Amino acid sequence: MTTARYNRVTFGEVATFATTAPSSLNSMTHIPAIDPAAPSVVQSFDEGNETAGDGSMSVKYPTAKDATWELTARVYTGDKSIASSGTDATSAYLWKLIDSYFGMAADTSGAGTTVASGTGSAPVMTLITGINAGNALMFGGSGTDGSVRFVAAVSGSTVTPDDTIDTAADFAAAAEVYSAFNWAPVMGAYAPHVYFNWEGADHQWLVGPGKITSFKLSGLAAREGCRYAMGFSGDTYAGGFTSGTFTPNAYTGSPLVSVGATCNINGTDTAVGDFEIDFGVKHEPVTATSGTNGRAGWEITEVAPTGSFTEYYASGRWTQYAAATSIPLRFVIPVSTSGHVAKAKGTIAVWFPNCNLTVEEAVLNGQRAQKVSFQAKRPTAAQQANSVVSPVYFSVFGGT
């Protein structure tokens, strides 16, 4: 007998759906999944019963295979930021899996800059190269905890943040401006695919090629650990392998918790007891005439993010609900350390430029409250004119 507690999960990215599957000779990357179950592997069959003269059933024949998996992991931080000086982070925690989900390689082209001049609503950068609408920036002045904002517009060397920067030191001349790993869903197909290798105590499964087809932020009740909850869809499965070489989890900073997390609702930082986010990117298989299972990969066909949060009673939220008012939302979860230097090495941020709300009565800590569900919509015409074109933007500050 062997213990069911032995679970090792590694993954590897391949260039295309048709690229040869990894083997024990390839370098895989370890994912510290939390209590993972084995992947779900399904063999489908043609079970049609052929007629005969004896009333018995005929044999079945194998057809297509499918493989799916649900994995949850803490959100670890790194030891480097993307700043105007020093050695920049070049990878983020599980970034290749996030690439797979959003259908794009992370945008890190904003290589870090500083504030030259300006105001909290229009800071001027010393270097604007690579900073695009939808990117997240962390402004960090001397002695501050930093201010995270998304870029709502770029004009010359001036950026318009999604909300005014309140801390004067964060937009003062020479304040640090940290860049992030930035994602927004891209419709269509993304060439790279992913394989997962699961090692149990007595056998292994290799599943793929496939895509991360669901992605949620969970565990966001105040003081709890933040989680990446990911779902994987693979074309097929085979016996796996004992990894001869793999890269251990290199992100050894403190995992994120939602202590100190902020929810900015229509420009106002709001205390919330909990929140959850489903990025809502829909992947569909691409039908093909070749391949054992009739697939040639997956592509993104729809983006419909949703989420919810619980806040103390605010009458204005009911007004917004009744009038179907469209508002922006920004969530920021920093590493539980004060100071922008540390936070720039471990913070995640999500921006929904244009949302509709649904509100219902709730209780929070024994006090009158409300649960707010939101649905991210197409950005407004004015936002689109400034190149804000996605209903959701996700950013990670810090890595290795």
Side-chain angles (χ1 to χ4, degrees), residues 303-338:
V303 183
T306 58
S308 65
F309 56 88
T310 303
E311 61 172 338
Y312 293 115
Y313 178 79
S315 60
R317 204 74 64 235
W318 291 89
T319 302
Q320 292 166 340
Y321 165 46
T325 304
S326 296
I327 64 171
L329 295 174
R330 183 183 69 245
F331 297 89
V332 179
I333 307 172
V335 69
S336 54
T337 305
S338 62

Side-chain angles (χ1 to χ4, degrees), residues 158-196:
T158 302
V159 301
T160 300
D162 68 291
D163 182 40
T164 300
I165 303 169
D166 299 318
T167 303
D170 286 343
F171 59 86
E176 184 69 81
V177 181
Y178 301 93
S179 298
F181 297 84
N182 298 289
W183 291 271
V186 177
M187 302 292 285
Y190 178 60
H193 280 67
V194 174
Y195 278 87
F196 276 96

